[in-house]
Amino acid sequence: MAENETPAAAAMLVSVAKCLRERETVRSALQLRVDRHSLGPLSLYPALCGRVLGEVRAHRTAIDVERKKRSVLDNAIVKEGTDPIARAKIMQGQSELDNASKSVVQTHETLNKSIMAFEQKRRLDLQASLSELIYSEMQLCARSLELLTEAHQAIHQAGFDSDIDVSD
């Protein structure tokens, strides 16, 4: 478009186009920066979620085992009574129930720690992503203001009067 204009107008259009092109280059670079800082941590979340899900399953399994051990013990107490052989069976059942209960407590603590660590990481990643986004937006605004000021000055410094040839 500038090639069809007078020299002053062409120079002004080229200058404004250069400023706008540079502004878009800055925008693209900052967008890549935001993507790199925000999307990188997100790639870790499938593995983190998988680990927590595995711990949830382990905890549920431990609860089911404890429930079954309790049921077996209750049935042994009701059916066997005071028989000395039954007493040994009941004692073994109580021991197995204690171990199952300890397993439930242990898996619960592990799951709780994992969830707390996951939430902490999620919050820190969110904070870092938003911080990067705000920083990049501020950088874009600052650079855009510089470039738009330069374009504004180019527009108002163009000497259009010299391009107009008025013949008498």
Side-chain angles (χ1 to χ4, degrees):
M1 181 169 135
E3 58 272 352
N4 296 332
E5 295 292 332
T6 59
M12 183 265 308
L13 289 172
V14 167
S15 180
V16 169
K18 179 184 135 265
C19 291
L20 295 177
R21 213 175 13 258
E22 186 175 341
R23 182 173 176 254
E24 288 307 310
T25 302
V26 169
R27 179 189 310 272
S28 295
L30 289 172
Q31 183 62 50
L32 288 173
R33 178 186 165 106
V34 168
D35 289 348
R36 186 175 55 249
H37 283 86
S38 297
L39 297 178
L42 290 178
S43 66
L44 302 175
Y45 279 85
L48 293 173
C49 290
R51 191 180 87 217
V52 172
L53 183 59
E55 290 173 4
V56 167
R57 288 181 183 140
H59 183 62
R60 285 183 181 162
T61 301
I63 290 171
D64 289 342
V65 167
E66 181 189 34
R67 189 177 301 126
K68 288 175 185 173
K69 297 289 182 183
R70 183 175 308 278
S71 177
V72 167
L73 177 62
D74 289 345
N75 288 338
I77 291 172
V78 169
K79 288 181 182 177
E80 303 298 333
T82 59
D83 183 23
I85 296 174
R87 282 302 227 184
K89 199 176 197 183
I90 290 171
M91 296 282 281
Q92 180 184 359
Q94 286 174 333
S95 175
E96 290 174 0
L97 178 60
D98 286 344
N99 289 338
S101 295
K102 289 176 185 175
S103 178
V104 168
V105 169
Q106 182 183 15
T107 58
H108 178 75
E109 288 174 356
T110 301
L111 178 60
N112 192 32
K113 286 178 184 176
S114 293
I115 290 172
M116 295 302 285
F118 177 85
E119 283 298 314
Q120 181 69 18
K121 178 168 179 33
R122 185 185 64 83
R123 287 183 183 133
L124 289 173
D125 287 345
L126 179 63
Q127 182 182 24
S129 292
L130 291 175
S131 178
E132 184 60 38
L133 176 67
I134 298 302
Y135 174 79
S136 293
E137 286 294 323
M138 290 185 328
Q139 290 287 38
L140 176 63
C141 289
R143 187 65 181 133
S144 292
L145 188 58
E146 291 172 5
L147 293 168
L148 293 173
T149 300
E150 188 178 317
H152 184 266
Q153 289 172 350
I155 292 169
H156 290 287
Q157 290 175 355
F160 292 120
D161 294 340
S162 64
D163 288 343
I164 301 174
D165 185 25
V166 181
S167 310
D168 285 336

